[in-house]
Amino acid sequence: MTWQSDRELLETQRPFTHAQALAAGMYDRELTSPAYRRVFPGVYVASEVPDTVVVRARAALLIAPSRAVLSHATAARLWGAAHLDDPRIHISLSRDVRARADGIVTHRFRQPFASARRHGLPVTTPEQTFVHCAVRTDLLDLVGLGDRLVKREEMSVTTIDGLHAFAELYDGQGRTNALRAARLVRTRVDSVTETHLRLLTVLAGLPEPTVDVRLYHPDGTLRYRLDLGFEENRLAIEYDGRWHLDPAQQLADAARRTELTDEGWRFEVVTAEDLYQTPESTLLRIRSAMQERDIVVPPHFSDGWRRYFARHRSVA
């Protein structure tokens, strides 16, 4: 829907301000009609436009101080980390400016911060976003953010070395947490729950499984991919999320696992309930499987996993 006046052509499929609407010849009663919705005070968009982080970010910038940059959880989501599900829009400024609006969080920094463009919007760089989020994001979700940023060659927006180097040189709040998390980031991770499963084993002191184990046919073509595993010992650790409840996916999983089990592989399959409701039992099961496959394990678990997985029970 487009409203046109002699002075301006207003695209209502993108957020617009009350002042822009009036200049385009619209009336207040039109803005309060079902055809439009208010995104923030004084900012509207056509009702049929989906409520996405990009739309809300564009709307926030219309009423934010000049040179505001999208940051923190908002920047993380724009870079692809949807698991940081904060509906508020975070903006950062390198000057002492106060900006107040429901649903918008303002962060002020005395030192400059690194910024880039994403979806045509000003946003903190992936590395800057990582250290910003390190202040209030727990280790599991921070490593999950890092895993999303470096996911695969064709999808990554930075590298593990890039995250570590930026955190090493950073002298602001969050540096220590960012450095610890950067050391745990891995490429080729398919989901945040896979990140959490890997971290459960690592924080408990068990040997770290390899991410994205790839098995090939004799001609070099890809045969199967396994979430986590120890190829030499033929032990696979896999997370079965909701998508594995699909009947077709269940058949494919069963066929793959049966075929590889016949070749000497052992599978430990973990569900959301296993991971978030009964993590200690899951660790005992994984450690037992490791011992059976001659993988050296400690006699007792470290307690590092406890503080994090108690917080994530609601995920299940």
Side-chain angles (χ1 to χ4, degrees):
M1 182 182 299
T2 301
W3 288 87
Q4 188 170 10
S5 72
D6 293 337
R7 292 173 292 170
E8 185 175 4
L9 183 67
L10 185 64
E11 297 181 18
T12 61
Q13 298 294 313
R14 297 168 67 95
F16 58 91
T17 65
H18 181 258
Q20 289 172 330
L22 295 181
M26 295 180 67
Y27 298 97
D28 285 341
R29 65 175 179 272
E30 296 172 78
L31 294 176
T32 57
S33 74
Y36 303 97
R37 74 169 184 273
R38 192 183 77 160
V39 186
F40 295 112
V43 184
Y44 303 85
V45 73
S47 294
E48 67 265 24
V49 175
D51 181 21
T52 67
V53 64
V54 174
V55 170
R56 281 183 279 115
R58 291 188 192 280
L61 290 175
L62 290 176
I63 55 175
S66 62
R67 299 184 182 179
V69 175
L70 299 161
S71 63
H72 295 77
T74 303
R77 297 188 70 189
L78 290 170
W79 288 117
H83 69 289
L84 297 186
D85 191 17
D86 187 342
R88 302 171 299 172
I89 297 300
H90 293 256
I91 60 173
S92 286
L93 298 155
S94 58
R95 54 198 177 100
D96 190 13
V97 176
R98 294 190 178 275
R100 293 174 181 250
D102 290 341
I104 300 176
V105 181
T106 303
H107 306 267
R108 296 184 296 276
F109 295 91
R110 294 181 179 180
Q111 299 295 328
F113 46 81
S115 62
R117 305 289 294 187
R118 181 74 165 171
H119 304 298
L121 300 170
V123 60
T124 50
T125 63
E127 300 83 6
Q128 183 73 74
T129 301
F130 188 72
V131 297
H132 277 173
C133 288
V135 177
R136 296 190 181 277
T137 305
D138 79 3
L139 182 67
L140 299 193
D141 285 337
L142 188 59
V143 177
L145 168 58
D147 284 357
R148 303 313 289 171
L149 295 176
V150 306
K151 183 170 167 42
R152 297 184 189 281
E153 294 80 0
E154 67 276 12
M155 299 174 66
S156 64
V157 293
T158 186
T159 63
I160 295 175
D161 288 344
L163 291 176
H164 190 275
F166 192 94
E168 187 72 47
L169 295 174
Y170 190 67
D171 61 357
Q173 191 178 9
R175 178 180 183 274
T176 300
N177 291 340
L179 279 172
R180 184 188 182 195
R183 296 186 187 103
L184 294 168
V185 170
R186 301 291 181 264
T187 59
R188 306 195 315 193
V189 179
D190 278 337
S191 69
V192 174
T193 45
E194 287 181 23
T195 298
H196 290 182
L197 176 55
R198 184 181 84 248
L199 291 180
L200 175 65
T201 64
V202 171
L203 294 176
L206 294 175
E208 181 177 351
T210 300
V211 172
D212 189 30
V213 176
R214 300 189 178 196
L215 306 180
Y216 295 91
H217 291 288
D219 64 0
T221 58
L222 182 63
R223 180 186 177 196
Y224 292 125
R225 290 177 55 218
L226 309 175
D227 295 344
L228 300 165
F230 299 85
E231 185 172 2
E232 183 178 343
N233 306 84
R234 298 203 172 191
L235 173 62
I237 305 171
E238 297 201 307
Y239 179 81
D240 273 9
R242 279 180 253 179
W243 60 92
H244 289 274
L245 297 177
D246 177 77
Q249 185 62 51
Q250 286 182 328
L251 287 173
D253 288 339
R256 173 174 58 87
R257 288 167 182 165
T258 298
E259 183 179 333
L260 291 177
T261 298
D262 289 343
E263 296 176 11
W265 279 82
R266 172 169 175 167
F267 282 83
E268 287 300 322
V269 180
V270 178
T271 65
E273 184 179 52
D274 297 330
L275 183 57
Y276 299 112
Q277 297 294 330
T278 58
E280 189 161 14
S281 297
T282 301
L283 283 171
L284 288 168
R285 178 158 55 93
I286 291 174
R287 185 176 68 178
S288 177
M290 289 180 175
Q291 289 174 319
E292 181 184 300
R293 291 303 166 117
D294 297 322
I295 299 171
V296 178
V297 298
H300 304 288
F301 295 131
S302 301
D303 285 331
W305 62 275
R306 295 184 185 277
R307 60 178 293 193
Y308 300 107
F309 282 86
R311 297 179 183 177
H312 286 77
R313 288 183 176 179
S314 60
V315 175

